[in-house]
Amino acid sequence: MEPIITIRSLSKVYGEKVALNNISLDIYPGQIIGYIGPNGAGKSTTVKIICGIIQDYDGDVTVAGINLKENVLEVKKK
C-alpha cells in the first residue's frame, strides 16, 4: 500500500526561528495519527504546508501521489 501523504526532509524557518527541521513522515490511507508537541513545535506549520497554505518551505511533500510544489491546486482539490 502506498502512502497517501509523504513528507521528506521538510524544513521551515521564520526569520531566525526554526519551525520545522528535517521532518520525514508517511501517512497511509485509513491510518489515524497523533501529531503532538508543545506550542511552537511546528504542528500547525506542517498542516498548513500539507494543505498548500504555506508554499515557502524546503523539502518534498506529496499528497495522493501529487507533488505539492508542482501542483498545489490539484492537491487542494483532494
Side-chain angles (χ1 to χ4, degrees):
M1 182 180 335
E2 294 293 318
I4 193 73
I5 298 172
T6 300
I7 299 171
R8 293 289 178 263
S9 302
L10 183 61
S11 297
K12 174 66 178 160
V13 178
Y14 294 101
E16 295 184 19
K17 170 74 173 158
V18 177
L20 298 171
N21 186 15
N22 203 29
I23 303 293
S24 293
L25 175 68
D26 288 325
I27 302 172
Y28 292 88
Q31 184 178 26
I32 299 171
I33 66 164
Y35 195 49
I36 60 173
N39 289 345
K43 302 175 301 290
S44 295
T45 299
T46 304
V47 172
K48 289 176 183 177
I49 290 171
I50 293 169
C51 293
I53 296 169
I54 296 175
Q55 297 179 21
D56 178 27
Y57 60 88
D58 294 318
D60 296 308
V61 178
T62 59
V63 178
I66 303 165
N67 184 298
L68 185 61
K69 283 186 178 178
E70 293 174 3
N71 203 340
V72 69
L73 292 178
E74 190 64 30
V75 170
K76 285 182 178 184
K77 289 179 186 178
K78 297 281 180 189

